[in-house]
Amino acid sequence: RAEELASLGDPDVVPTLLNEHAVVLTNTGQADMYWADPRFGGDVPSVDRSYLAGRLGTSWAPTVIDLTPEGAGIEGSIRLDPASLATEMGRLSGHREVIVVGAPVLAAQAAGFLARLGINARWVA
Protein backbone atom coordinates (compact mmCIF):
# COMPACT_ATOMS: atom_id res chain seq x y z
CA ARG A 1 0.00 0.00 0.00
CA ALA A 2 2.81 2.44 0.79
CA GLU A 3 4.23 1.94 -2.69
CA GLU A 4 0.82 2.67 -4.22
CA LEU A 5 0.49 5.91 -2.27
CA ALA A 6 4.05 6.96 -3.09
CA SER A 7 3.42 6.38 -6.79
CA LEU A 8 0.52 8.85 -6.76
CA GLY A 9 2.90 11.79 -6.27
CA ASP A 10 1.86 15.23 -5.09
CA PRO A 11 -1.56 16.58 -6.00
CA ASP A 12 -1.52 19.18 -8.75
CA VAL A 13 -4.22 21.27 -7.12
CA VAL A 14 -3.68 22.74 -3.68
CA PRO A 15 -6.96 23.81 -2.07
CA THR A 16 -7.34 27.54 -1.56
CA LEU A 17 -8.11 28.67 1.97
CA LEU A 18 -11.01 31.02 2.57
CA ASN A 19 -9.77 34.63 2.83
CA GLU A 20 -6.17 33.52 2.37
CA HIS A 21 -5.14 36.83 0.76
CA ALA A 22 -6.46 38.93 3.67
CA VAL A 23 -4.91 36.63 6.27
CA VAL A 24 -1.49 36.78 4.55
CA LEU A 25 -1.67 40.58 4.24
CA THR A 26 -2.52 40.86 7.94
CA ASN A 27 0.11 38.37 9.07
CA THR A 28 2.83 40.16 7.11
CA GLY A 29 1.80 43.60 8.39
CA GLN A 30 0.68 44.90 5.00
CA ALA A 31 -2.95 45.33 6.08
CA ASP A 32 -5.09 45.15 9.20
CA MET A 33 -7.82 42.73 8.18
CA TYR A 34 -8.07 40.74 11.43
CA TRP A 35 -11.83 40.46 10.86
CA ALA A 36 -11.20 38.24 7.83
CA ASP A 37 -10.10 35.23 9.89
CA PRO A 38 -12.52 32.55 8.61
CA ARG A 39 -12.37 30.58 11.88
CA PHE A 40 -14.70 33.07 13.51
CA GLY A 41 -17.80 32.57 11.39
CA GLY A 42 -21.24 31.50 12.52
CA ASP A 43 -23.43 28.59 11.58
CA VAL A 44 -25.92 29.50 8.89
CA PRO A 45 -28.63 27.40 7.27
CA SER A 46 -28.27 25.87 3.85
CA VAL A 47 -30.86 26.08 1.13
CA ASP A 48 -31.52 23.55 -1.58
CA ARG A 49 -31.11 24.21 -5.28
CA SER A 50 -34.88 24.38 -5.81
CA TYR A 51 -35.07 27.39 -3.45
CA LEU A 52 -32.33 29.10 -5.41
CA ALA A 53 -33.88 28.21 -8.79
CA GLY A 54 -37.27 29.53 -7.67
CA ARG A 55 -35.86 32.92 -6.71
CA LEU A 56 -33.55 33.53 -9.66
CA GLY A 57 -35.00 35.93 -12.20
CA THR A 58 -37.48 37.43 -9.72
CA SER A 59 -37.42 40.74 -7.88
CA TRP A 60 -36.38 38.74 -4.80
CA ALA A 61 -33.40 37.09 -6.48
CA PRO A 62 -30.44 36.70 -4.14
CA THR A 63 -26.90 37.62 -5.00
CA VAL A 64 -25.10 34.37 -5.79
CA ILE A 65 -21.43 34.06 -4.88
CA ASP A 66 -19.85 31.23 -6.86
CA LEU A 67 -16.77 29.71 -5.19
CA THR A 68 -16.54 26.66 -7.45
CA PRO A 69 -13.29 26.21 -9.39
CA GLU A 70 -15.02 25.59 -12.71
CA GLY A 71 -17.97 27.94 -12.22
CA ALA A 72 -21.46 26.74 -11.34
CA GLY A 73 -23.02 28.23 -14.46
CA ILE A 74 -25.58 30.33 -12.59
CA GLU A 75 -26.40 33.38 -14.68
CA GLY A 76 -25.59 36.64 -12.94
CA SER A 77 -23.51 35.03 -10.20
CA ILE A 78 -20.35 36.66 -8.91
CA ARG A 79 -17.43 34.27 -9.40
CA LEU A 80 -14.83 34.66 -6.66
CA ASP A 81 -11.71 32.80 -5.67
CA PRO A 82 -12.27 31.71 -2.04
CA ALA A 83 -8.91 33.26 -1.13
CA SER A 84 -10.19 36.73 -2.12
CA LEU A 85 -13.65 36.74 -0.54
CA ALA A 86 -12.63 39.16 2.23
CA THR A 87 -10.74 41.46 -0.13
CA GLU A 88 -13.73 41.58 -2.53
CA MET A 89 -16.34 42.48 0.12
CA GLY A 90 -17.10 45.81 -1.58
CA ARG A 91 -18.85 43.94 -4.38
CA LEU A 92 -21.46 42.67 -1.88
CA SER A 93 -22.60 45.91 -0.27
CA GLY A 94 -26.30 46.63 -0.40
CA HIS A 95 -27.48 43.12 -1.23
CA ARG A 96 -30.57 41.77 0.57
CA GLU A 97 -29.59 38.13 0.54
CA VAL A 98 -26.41 36.33 -0.49
CA ILE A 99 -26.26 32.63 -1.32
CA VAL A 100 -22.83 31.02 -1.54
CA VAL A 101 -22.41 28.12 -3.97
CA GLY A 102 -19.48 25.77 -3.65
CA ALA A 103 -18.16 22.64 -1.98
CA PRO A 104 -20.27 22.07 1.16
CA VAL A 105 -17.61 22.78 3.80
CA LEU A 106 -16.24 25.82 1.97
CA ALA A 107 -19.67 27.25 1.12
CA ALA A 108 -20.88 26.86 4.72
CA GLN A 109 -17.70 28.46 6.06
CA ALA A 110 -17.95 31.39 3.61
CA ALA A 111 -21.64 31.97 4.39
CA GLY A 112 -20.86 31.88 8.13
CA PHE A 113 -18.10 34.42 7.65
CA LEU A 114 -20.43 36.73 5.69
CA ALA A 115 -23.19 36.34 8.30
CA ARG A 116 -20.77 37.33 11.07
CA LEU A 117 -20.20 40.58 9.14
CA GLY A 118 -23.94 41.28 9.05
CA ILE A 119 -24.79 39.95 5.60
CA ASN A 120 -27.90 37.76 5.27
CA ALA A 121 -26.06 34.75 3.87
CA ARG A 122 -26.91 31.11 3.27
CA TRP A 123 -25.26 28.40 1.25
CA VAL A 124 -26.00 25.64 -1.23
CA ALA A 125 -23.70 22.87 -2.41
Side-chain angles (χ1 to χ4, degrees), residues 11-44:
D12 292 335
V13 179
V14 176
T16 302
L17 301 177
L18 184 67
N19 297 339
E20 183 177 349
H21 295 155
V23 171
V24 168
L25 289 172
T26 299
N27 289 346
T28 59
Q30 298 176 58
D32 187 14
M33 301 176 79
Y34 65 90
W35 50 267
D37 190 328
R39 295 176 295 173
F40 304 114
D43 290 331
V44 295

Side-chain angles (χ1 to χ4, degrees), residues 19 21-22 33 35 65 78-93 113-114 119:
N19 297 339
H21 295 155
M33 301 176 79
W35 50 267
I65 303 299
I78 300 172
R79 171 75 186 92
L80 289 177
D81 177 359
S84 11
L85 180 61
T87 54
E88 295 285 333
M89 291 295 298
R91 295 173 68 180
L92 304 179
S93 62
F113 164 73
L114 294 172
I119 295 172

Side-chain angles (χ1 to χ4, degrees), residues 32-103:
D32 187 14
M33 301 176 79
Y34 65 90
W35 50 267
D37 190 328
R39 295 176 295 173
F40 304 114
D43 290 331
V44 295
S46 64
V47 296
D48 59 32
R49 289 195 178 264
S50 63
Y51 171 85
L52 181 58
R55 307 258 331 236
L56 292 175
T58 71
S59 59
W60 293 100
T63 299
V64 178
I65 303 299
D66 180 358
L67 300 180
T68 63
E70 67 284 346
I74 299 172
E75 188 175 336
S77 65
I78 300 172
R79 171 75 186 92
L80 289 177
D81 177 359
S84 11
L85 180 61
T87 54
E88 295 285 333
M89 291 295 298
R91 295 173 68 180
L92 304 179
S93 62
H95 295 280
R96 285 190 286 260
E97 177 184 25
V98 172
I99 295 183
V100 181
V101 177

